[in-house]
Amino acid sequence: MRKCRITESLMLIVIMFPVSLSAYSGESLIIITNKSMSPVNAVFQDKTLPDILNMAKEMNVNVVVDKLEKGAPEDVTITPLIVYQNHLGRSIYQGRTNTTQRIKNFIRTSRRIPQGKEKFVLNHTPVMVSGRGAVYSPLKVSDLGGTRPDGYTDQAFHDESITAIVSGFSSFAMKDKTLVRRGDRGFYMDFYPWRGGDGTLFISLALYSQFHCKKPVFELKENKIIGPWNHRKDLFKQAGALMEAEVKKHLADPYGGDGFDFVSLKTPVVTWESLGYALPPAPRVMKNVKSTVIQLPAAWHVPAKPLDDDPMIQFHFLAPLDNYTGEFKMTSGQVNFPVDLAFSGMKGRVRAHSDSVTMGETDLDKVIKSALFLDLENHPYSEFTLASAISQDKQLSFGRMSIVQLTGTFSLKGRTIPLSLPVQIEPVLDDVGSPVLIVQGSFPIDLRLFSIEGATGPEPQKYTLEVELHIAMTPGSG
């Protein structure tokens, strides 16, 4: 993806009215669906669309539902597709169709900042094309764990594995270069190989939606793909076929939010204007209008008071022990980007203050804060310190949720360990048009590493704590 000039990607001049409704006159939310009775379309219209209509009504946004009866513009590649437009421009929603809050954030942001025209290019990526639409699936094969055979090298194993995985596809094909459009969708395929001392190869799998990096839509952990090491090409081919089948399954799933129907090549290509969706004229200039610069800042911090009622940091043991849950009510920290907002230059830290921890019971909270567990008296907080970050999206920008791999250190109860975790990062605008940086992710903690007693129950669940992050940051260094 090319880097946009800072003046294009970071700063836009927009018209802001003291009376909110006059600023957005002529805006529309265009819901593009189809006439078929596919499971995805039926559930969307019966279950999801009413929620979107109610949300739009609360925001005073006009809604139009189009069923492709007269054709579709060229950039309409799948249905359902959610499009927002006003006098500033037109934006295509990229997110799960059943996450109403994200759609609300999309509207708030698009009201003031139209979607950018920058191109997003993937290299050497499997792509499945059907009708007008495309699904891309980046592959990740972890380095071989366990006992490595003589002559093993990571690069040769990786190349061989990728070739074998692709040979298992019937609908995906490896593309050297793919231009990803706003209507295209993606799934990330992760493969985890492990070799035993007797030469047996075990392959675990995880499939992630592009819209949710912390919880896979499919996992193969217990019933792994297993076979002799010298049959590894066939095993990876089997893994590729299984992953492709799971992608197709989730594309057809009407309830997960990732499902959709491809727009047929037989659908006539028409313009937005011919369908009656021309951009409205700019609002009439008034004396009390003022111009405001909306700019993505480089420095962000966790506000002293959360922006909503949702906890920023939660934790729970793994099922069936997930009745043990809690949260940290006080969080602090900051994140800093370089001037060009490149993810590769991110630095920062996030602290969870131990005196704010609660599991909902006063007596239990006292035990959690004691020397047996968090040892509040000697260790007042736990902390993640960010050392590096990487993302295919390269830089932070409005209108895009980016999956970013963070690497750094995690400190708890006086001990520090390396930690790497994927997070979703998305800048949005709040109700008054101020930037907010949403960071979501999760990571497991092995309590034995910190000399903390686990729960009563089966292993490894009793000593594995899953930490969930939902942090909303505001501009400034804090």
Side-chain angles (χ1 to χ4, degrees):
M1 180 178 66
R2 68 173 174 84
K3 293 185 177 179
C4 301
R5 294 194 302 262
I6 293 178
T7 53
E8 294 175 337
S9 62
L10 310 186
M11 191 177 301
L12 296 96
I13 305 297
V14 297
I15 303 299
M16 302 289 291
F17 290 80
V19 181
S20 61
L21 295 184
S22 63
Y24 313 125
S25 60
E27 68 177 344
S28 295
L29 193 68
I30 305 169
I31 311 294
I32 302 176
T33 179
N34 61 68
K35 295 182 292 182
S36 76
M37 289 306 294
S38 73
V40 169
N41 186 45
V43 171
F44 176 78
Q45 296 206 48
D46 293 343
K47 304 293 185 181
T48 307
L49 185 56
D51 291 338
I52 297 175
L53 295 176
N54 288 335
M55 177 268 297
K57 183 178 180 180
E58 292 176 358
M59 299 180 73
N60 205 45
V61 177
N62 177 55
V63 177
V64 179
V65 178
D66 190 300
K67 296 187 177 182
L68 299 181
E69 294 175 329
K70 298 180 181 179
E74 188 176 11
D75 45 358
V76 176
T77 58
I78 62 171
T79 62
L81 194 69
I82 300 172
V83 181
Y84 173 87
Q85 67 177 38
N86 64 5
H87 68 284
L88 294 174
R90 185 177 294 115
S91 302
I92 295 176
Y93 171 67
Q94 292 181 297
R96 285 177 166 166
T97 53
N98 59 358
T99 50
T100 309
Q101 182 58 47
R102 272 211 80 216
I103 298 174
K104 185 176 182 179
N105 287 341
F106 163 73
I107 293 173
R108 286 199 308 231
T109 302
S110 301
R111 273 175 164 170
R112 296 172 170 89
I113 303 175
Q115 206 163 60
K117 304 298 183 183
E118 69 273 10
K119 299 182 185 300
F120 180 35
V121 176
L122 287 173
N123 296 315
H124 201 57
T125 304
V127 178
M128 178 175 64
V129 177
S130 181
R132 291 194 191 180
V135 178
Y136 58 91
S137 286
L139 307 179
K140 185 182 77 173
V141 179
S142 297
D143 295 342
L144 181 65
T147 304
R148 297 183 172 187
D150 294 338
Y152 170 90
T153 65
D154 287 333
Q155 188 61 55
F157 176 70
H158 179 270
D159 294 344
E160 178 187 75
S161 302
I162 293 293
T163 300
I165 290 167
V166 173
S167 72
F169 294 150
S170 59
S171 298
F172 279 98
M174 185 67 76
K175 302 290 186 182
D176 290 335
K177 187 176 182 179
T178 302
L179 175 63
V180 179
R181 300 161 298 179
R182 298 286 182 175
D184 293 336
R185 297 294 181 254
F187 288 85
Y188 293 81
M189 299 181 181
D190 290 0
F191 302 80
Y192 307 99
W194 190 90
R195 183 179 183 270
D198 63 353
T200 301
L201 178 64
F202 302 81
I203 305 176
S204 301
L205 309 174
L207 181 69
Y208 293 86
S209 161
Q210 73 175 110
F211 303 127
H212 206 297
C213 69
K214 68 179 184 178
K215 184 177 181 181
V217 296
F218 166 73
E219 281 187 290
L220 189 68
K221 293 170 51 176
E222 300 298 328
N223 300 315
K224 302 176 179 67
I225 295 175
I226 304 173
W229 172 255
N230 58 1
H231 291 175
R232 59 189 178 277
K233 291 182 181 179
D234 290 335
L235 297 175
F236 274 107
K237 180 178 180 179
Q238 179 185 342
L242 179 57
M243 284 292 227
E244 181 181 84
E246 285 296 326
V247 169
K248 292 180 178 179
K249 175 182 175 181
H250 287 283
L251 294 181
D253 179 9
Y255 298 104
D258 292 309
F260 61 83
D261 296 321
F262 290 102
V263 174
S264 171
L265 290 175
K266 295 180 180 179
T267 302
V269 177
V270 296
T271 64
W272 292 99
E273 290 75 15
S274 68
L275 293 174
Y277 306 139
L279 298 183
R284 181 173 58 87
V285 177
M286 301 167 61
K287 290 183 179 180
N288 57 353
V289 171
K290 60 180 180 180
S291 294
T292 303
V293 174
I294 297 179
Q295 182 175 348
L296 270 177
W300 302 82
H301 75 284
V302 179
K305 182 179 180 181
L307 301 181
D308 52 37
D309 294 330
D310 294 333
M312 290 191 182
I313 300 180
Q314 293 179 287
F315 57 88
H316 61 84
F317 285 91
L318 301 181
L321 306 178
D322 46 356
N323 57 302
Y324 294 104
T325 65
E327 66 178 272
F328 289 89
K329 289 185 171 295
M330 185 182 299
T331 304
S332 62
Q334 62 186 51
V335 168
N336 295 295
F337 289 83
V339 175
D340 63 357
L341 300 186
F343 287 114
S344 60
M346 283 180 66
K347 302 293 180 184
R349 63 171 176 79
V350 173
R351 286 180 174 177
H353 296 255
S354 298
D355 59 350
S356 71
V357 71
T358 178
M359 295 186 74
E361 298 181 19
T362 303
D363 292 342
L364 185 55
D365 291 348
K366 289 181 179 179
V367 175
I368 293 297
K369 297 174 184 179
S370 70
L372 184 63
F373 289 92
L374 296 181
D375 193 7
L376 171 62
E377 184 175 347
N378 295 304
H379 307 288
Y381 57 80
S382 56
E383 180 177 83
F384 173 70
T385 301
L386 173 62
S388 64
I390 186 171
S391 174
Q392 290 182 328
D393 291 340
K394 305 303 181 186
Q395 66 182 150
L396 187 71
S397 62
F398 277 118
R400 184 180 293 279
M401 182 192 75
S402 300
I403 295 179
V404 185
Q405 189 72 28
L406 304 181
T407 301
T409 57
F410 175 73
S411 300
L412 174 65
K413 202 179 179 182
R415 180 170 182 183
T416 299
I417 63 171
L419 180 64
S420 180
L421 69 150
V423 296
Q424 298 166 188
I425 298 181
E426 182 177 18
V428 299
L429 297 178
D430 64 15
D431 289 327
V432 298
S434 298
V436 176
L437 189 67
I438 306 297
V439 180
Q440 298 183 83
S442 67
F443 60 94
I445 295 175
D446 186 338
L447 296 178
R448 296 172 299 179
L449 297 176
F450 303 95
S451 301
I452 295 177
E453 183 177 342
T456 301
E459 297 183 359
Q461 293 93 328
K462 72 176 187 178
Y463 50 71
T464 304
L465 199 67
E466 189 75 11
V467 180
E468 307 274 352
L469 308 176
H470 182 90
I471 299 175
M473 295 186 170
T474 53
S477 55

